[in-house]
Amino acid sequence: MQKVYLVLVIRFEKYTTNKVVVTLTENSTATNPFYLFQFTNQTSNVDYYFIATDLSTYKERFNEFSVTERHTPNTLAGQVELGDTGFYNYTIYQTSLSTLNGLTNASQAVNSIVKEVEKGKVWLVPSADANYIYSGQDSTAIVYNPDDNLMTEDGYYLLQENGFLINI
């Protein structure tokens, strides 16, 4: 019998406040812990960290966070600046922090990780307010043949490799 896995993807919009709803309490070992979010870009493998406040009134059922993607974020207040649009892996960690005093950014909380409580995928999409302008002109240059100036008298092409010209 083949196993089927369900992967939920959080849709996240650039330059917007996003609602993130996950189930963390069931895997947590502390009451009201600080959760450290780690988003890892699947293309560049760059990590982005932030800590957000759990806004849910029914934490035993679900955990709700308000996360803002923006320039110059306060990563200790549910803000993050992500890279390019596309897909990210996310991991949410329970920390041993009792306060955020003394921290200047969320990545400093990595040393306070107690356990991983959830993993998943994030799809970062452009802002709905993004303006895309089409000029109507094709800027693609297609080259079918090498430049005739590179051809030698005997019909071979010249190629420069490590500062030396060679015939192909």
Side-chain angles (χ1 to χ4, degrees), residues 2 11 43 54 85 88 110 118 132 138 142 150 153 159 162 168:
Q2 183 180 15
R11 185 179 182 277
T43 304
D54 189 348
T85 57
Y88 290 72
V110 169
E118 185 160 307
Y132 297 98
D138 187 2
I142 301 173
L150 296 177
E153 291 179 14
L159 175 69
N162 296 332
I168 326 180

Side-chain angles (χ1 to χ4, degrees), residues 20-136:
V20 176
V21 178
V22 289
T23 53
L24 306 179
T25 302
E26 64 189 5
N27 293 322
S28 297
T29 56
T31 306
N32 296 322
F34 283 100
Y35 292 109
L36 175 66
F37 290 72
Q38 175 187 16
F39 284 12
T40 305
N41 184 294
Q42 288 185 345
T43 304
S44 67
N45 214 27
V46 173
D47 292 327
Y48 302 89
Y49 294 95
F50 62 92
I51 294 174
T53 303
D54 189 348
L55 304 172
S56 176
T57 53
Y58 301 101
K59 291 178 178 42
E60 67 282 351
R61 184 74 182 113
F62 64 90
N63 305 90
E64 181 180 335
F65 301 88
S66 179
V67 182
T68 303
E69 202 285 338
R70 60 174 290 187
H71 292 298
T72 63
N74 178 351
T75 59
L76 299 174
Q79 300 173 4
V80 64
E81 180 179 16
L82 299 173
D84 294 331
T85 57
F87 288 94
Y88 290 72
N89 296 320
Y90 77 82
T91 307
I92 304 173
Y93 301 98
Q94 175 188 329
T95 69
S96 61
L97 296 171
S98 58
T99 180
L100 299 179
N101 291 341
L103 298 178
T104 56
N105 62 60
S107 62
Q108 293 172 325
V110 169
N111 295 331
S112 301
I113 290 173
V114 172
K115 67 181 285 191
E116 176 184 299
V117 290
E118 185 160 307
K119 292 181 91 140
K121 303 273 185 216
V122 172
W123 179 29
L124 180 63
V125 298
S127 168
D129 296 333
N131 293 324
Y132 297 98
I133 300 171
Y134 176 64
S135 67

